[in-house]
């Protein structure tokens, strides 16, 4: 069972196997990212995982060329059927949103489900390293703000947090006070709990910054290798541990350590654009 504590204004979870979790994210044909990365992790961790694709993507965007089919018209037909059939979920985890129209539809559905007790977990996928991903437009920022407004927990990286809050991106690092201000700006958009990943501090250290009733910073050593989908893996592991009843801080630490181990194990892979071949590591969860 999952609880949202209105008195303390952040999410808490009671451990339970077999939680029903809906993934609303894109489906990539070639590469372990988005739904293709999250579904096996959350399933392996004992959850009943369902999915609703926001887009069908030919391959990871890192290859430079890709084809995307937006599925908004399909989604508009899905929600009425699910309501008629009485389908419900303990948690909904959203990722890539293909358009402002799609965001409005998905956000409305999430808001309605949240009122019934469903926890909404939002990864506002837009960009990294100070810039937007290939194929992501400025209108996507407004779309993600709609999603953040209904979220109990959000997982932006530092770049995405800056775009969402109109905060200048600082490639040279930020102070702890600036991180706290960024968290507060995100909470002002509607998010109850926050994790900001890939934050470079002024002293050169790297942290994940969080809030679950209080602020925390979790330090890690950066591995200078790029794989697409690492954010999806991180959020899936966090979600899985929250559903087991772990705290947000502990869930984030476990996800960070696990992801670091998987990156280190695959850093010599020839084609990193495919993402991490995570199935070979599932038993480590």
């Amino acid at each position: 069972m999952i609880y949202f504590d209105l008195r303390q204004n952040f999410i808490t979870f009671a451990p339970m196997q077999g939680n029903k979790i809906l993934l609303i994210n894109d489906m990539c044909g070639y590469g372990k990212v988005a739904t293709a990365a999250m579904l096996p992790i959350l399933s392996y961790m004992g959850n009943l995982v369902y999915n609703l694709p926001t887009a069908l993507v030919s391959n990871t965007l890192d290859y430079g060329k890709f084809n995307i089919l937006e599925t908004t018209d399909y989604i508009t037909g899905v929600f009425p059927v699910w309501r008629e059939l009485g389908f419900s979920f303990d948690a909904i985890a959203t990722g890539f949103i293909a358009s402002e129209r799609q965001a409005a539809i998905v956000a409305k559905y999430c808001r309605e489900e949240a009122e019934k007790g469903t926890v909404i977990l939002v990864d506002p996928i837009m960009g990294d390293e100070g810039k937007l991903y290939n194929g992501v437009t400025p209108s996507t920022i407004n779309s993600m703000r709609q999603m953040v407004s209904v979220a109990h927990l959000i997982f932006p990286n530092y770049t995405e947090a800056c775009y969402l809050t109109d905060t200048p991106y600082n490639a040279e690092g930020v102070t702890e006070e600036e991180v706290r201000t960024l968290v507060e700006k995100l909470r002002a958009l509607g998010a109850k709990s926050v994790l900001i990943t890939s934050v470079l501090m002024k002293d050169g250290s790297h942290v994940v910054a969080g809030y679950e009733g209080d602020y925390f910073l979790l330090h890690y050593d950066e591995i200078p290798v790029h794989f697409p989908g690492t954010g999806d893996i991180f959020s899936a592991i966090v979600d899985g541990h929250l559903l087991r009843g772990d705290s947000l801080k502990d869930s984030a630490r476990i996800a960070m350590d696990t992801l670091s181990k998987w990156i280190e194990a695959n850093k010599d892979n020839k084609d990193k654009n495919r993402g991490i071949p995570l199935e070979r590591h599932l038993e480590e969860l």
Side-chain angles (χ1 to χ4, degrees), residues 51-211:
N51 73 90
L52 182 65
T54 57
L56 302 179
V57 186
S58 59
N59 46 266
T60 62
L61 307 187
D62 299 68
Y63 286 104
K65 293 183 179 180
F66 50 88
N67 185 48
I68 295 180
L69 174 64
E70 184 180 336
T71 59
T72 303
D73 290 339
Y74 165 74
I75 290 173
T76 59
V78 168
F79 290 149
V81 172
W82 284 359
R83 291 188 185 99
E84 184 176 344
L85 293 172
F87 293 165
S88 62
F89 307 95
D90 297 304
I92 298 174
T94 74
F96 177 73
I97 299 296
S99 66
E100 288 191 73
R101 174 175 170 245
Q102 187 179 92
I105 295 168
V106 172
K108 180 176 182 292
Y109 177 75
C110 289
R111 188 175 290 109
E112 292 170 351
E113 295 304 298
E115 291 173 356
K116 302 174 186 177
T118 300
V119 169
I120 311 301
L121 310 162
V122 174
D123 185 355
I125 299 170
M126 295 187 294
D128 201 0
E129 298 178 347
K131 58 183 183 296
L132 297 174
Y133 291 133
N134 290 333
V136 177
T137 67
S139 67
T140 306
I141 301 170
N142 290 328
S143 301
M144 287 306 181
R145 286 181 182 137
Q146 292 186 59
M147 295 307 307
V148 169
S149 71
V150 302
H152 295 119
L153 170 64
I154 61 172
F155 302 86
N157 58 35
Y158 173 61
T159 295
E160 292 157 348
C162 289
Y163 274 109
L164 286 167
T165 59
D166 287 324
T167 300
Y169 177 88
N170 191 338
E172 297 181 356
V174 295
T175 65
E176 185 170 341
E177 182 179 354
E178 288 171 328
V179 174
R180 289 171 66 105
T181 298
L182 194 54
V183 169
E184 280 305 304
K185 287 181 178 180
L186 290 167
R187 295 185 66 230
L189 293 176
K192 306 304 186 297
S193 295
V194 176
L195 282 177
I196 307 177
T197 64
S198 306
V199 181
L200 174 64
M201 304 298 288
K202 283 287 189 184
D203 63 5
S205 64
H206 295 85
V207 305
V208 169
Y211 176 88

Side-chain angles (χ1 to χ4, degrees), residues 35-50:
T35 301
M38 297 184 71
L39 195 153
I41 290 172
L42 287 164
S43 294
Y44 190 87
M45 295 182 74
N47 302 286
L48 303 174
V49 187
Y50 307 87

Side-chain angles (χ1 to χ4, degrees), residues 251-271:
S251 298
R253 181 77 265 174
I254 293 169
M256 292 163 66
D257 293 344
T258 302
L259 184 57
S260 292
K261 186 188 302 182
W262 291 6
I263 293 173
E264 184 68 32
N266 291 279
K267 65 181 182 181
D268 294 326
N269 292 3
K270 290 183 178 180
D271 187 359

Side-chain angles (χ1 to χ4, degrees), residues 25 32-34 37-38 41 123 125 128 133 155 157 160 197-198 226-239 255 259 263 276:
N25 206 343
K32 289 296 178 181
V33 301
M38 297 184 71
I41 290 172
D123 185 355
I125 299 170
D128 201 0
Y133 291 133
F155 302 86
N157 58 35
E160 292 157 348
T197 64
S198 306
H226 172 73
F227 285 99
T230 52
D232 302 305
I233 293 172
F234 173 82
S235 60
I237 297 174
V238 169
D239 292 346
L259 184 57
I263 293 173
I276 293 174

